[in-house]
């Protein structure tokens, strides 16, 4: 894999009346932020690739907001193992997709934040906020796989209040 896109789901409801966390939905503000990020990402002209998404309702709804920017011909696979997974479980899941040149994952904290820090080797990064995306690029010479400091961050951004925030500054 050459490029890994990591997306944290949009802001979700915090309603304690929902008995099962997996069924929490994104809020109206979460949808607005995710839609705004989708419009921003169109400029990157993503090629058809594979997208791995947690099976939670909030990650599925977030992914639906990115349908066009991530290329609507991309193959989407829903993985139960990505639901609230830690970074080691995420690495195990994405390692199975090592032959693809670009992969996108849509998941949850703290797993996605820890994955970003681990692969980039930048442990001073703030946790990924809702409606954020980081793109990591792996060296062509990297033959040993996904390990600490094996990738560089191309961008790390968040959509909030109808603006794009660069989270690397």
């Amino acid at each position: 894999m050459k490029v890994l896109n990591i997306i944290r789901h949009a802001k979700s409801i915090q309603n304690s009346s929902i008995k099962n966390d997996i069924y929490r939905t994104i809020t109206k503000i979460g949808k607005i932020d995710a839609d705004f990020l989708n419009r921003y990402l169109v400029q990157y002209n993503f090629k058809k690739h594979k997208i791995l998404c947690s099976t939670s309702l909030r990650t599925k709804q977030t992914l639906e907001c990115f349908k066009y920017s991530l290329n609507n011909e991309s193959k989407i696979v829903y993985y139960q193992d990505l639901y609230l997974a830690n970074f080691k479980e995420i690495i195990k899941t994405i390692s199975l997709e090592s032959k693809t040149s670009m992969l996108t994952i849509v998941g949850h904290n703290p797993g996605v934040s820890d994955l970003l820090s681990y692969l980039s080797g930048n442990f001073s990064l703030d946790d990924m906020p809702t409606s954020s995306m980081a793109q990591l690029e792996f060296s062509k010479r990297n033959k040993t796989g996904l390990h600490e400091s094996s990738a560089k961050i191309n961008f790390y951004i968040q959509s909030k209040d109808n603006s794009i925030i660069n989270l690397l500054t």
Side-chain angles (χ1 to χ4, degrees), residues 43-129:
Q43 69 180 308
Y44 289 97
N45 197 27
F46 289 100
K47 297 193 179 338
K48 181 178 167 183
H49 66 288
K50 193 173 240 184
I51 301 169
L52 308 181
C53 184
S54 161
T55 55
S56 77
L57 187 52
R58 61 191 176 274
T59 51
K60 290 177 180 179
Q61 290 175 326
T62 300
L63 179 57
E64 184 63 28
C65 294
F66 292 98
K67 189 176 189 176
Y68 296 104
S69 64
L70 293 179
N71 191 322
N72 61 356
E73 294 181 9
S74 294
K75 181 177 181 180
I76 300 170
V77 180
Y78 296 99
Y79 272 95
Q80 175 65 34
D81 291 349
L82 287 177
Y83 174 64
L84 300 179
N86 67 43
F87 84 97
K88 289 180 181 178
E89 293 166 324
I90 298 172
I91 286 175
K92 201 181 302 181
T93 300
I94 62 180
S95 292
L96 302 173
E97 308 294 340
S98 62
K99 296 204 183 325
T100 185
S101 63
M102 179 185 284
L103 185 67
T104 296
I105 61 164
V106 184
H108 310 267
N109 264 347
V112 291
S113 293
D114 293 345
L115 178 70
L116 174 60
S117 294
Y118 177 77
L119 293 176
S120 70
N122 187 342
F123 294 94
S124 64
L125 292 172
D126 289 334
D127 282 347
M128 289 187 79

Side-chain angles (χ1 to χ4, degrees), residues 106-156:
V106 184
H108 310 267
N109 264 347
V112 291
S113 293
D114 293 345
L115 178 70
L116 174 60
S117 294
Y118 177 77
L119 293 176
S120 70
N122 187 342
F123 294 94
S124 64
L125 292 172
D126 289 334
D127 282 347
M128 289 187 79
T130 55
S131 296
S132 64
M133 178 177 180
Q135 184 179 79
L136 297 175
E137 186 172 352
F138 297 86
S139 167
K140 290 179 182 178
R141 295 185 303 267
N142 178 14
K143 304 292 184 205
T144 59
L146 304 166
H147 55 81
E148 187 175 340
S149 303
S150 60
K152 72 173 184 130
I153 302 174
N154 286 339
F155 62 81
Y156 179 27

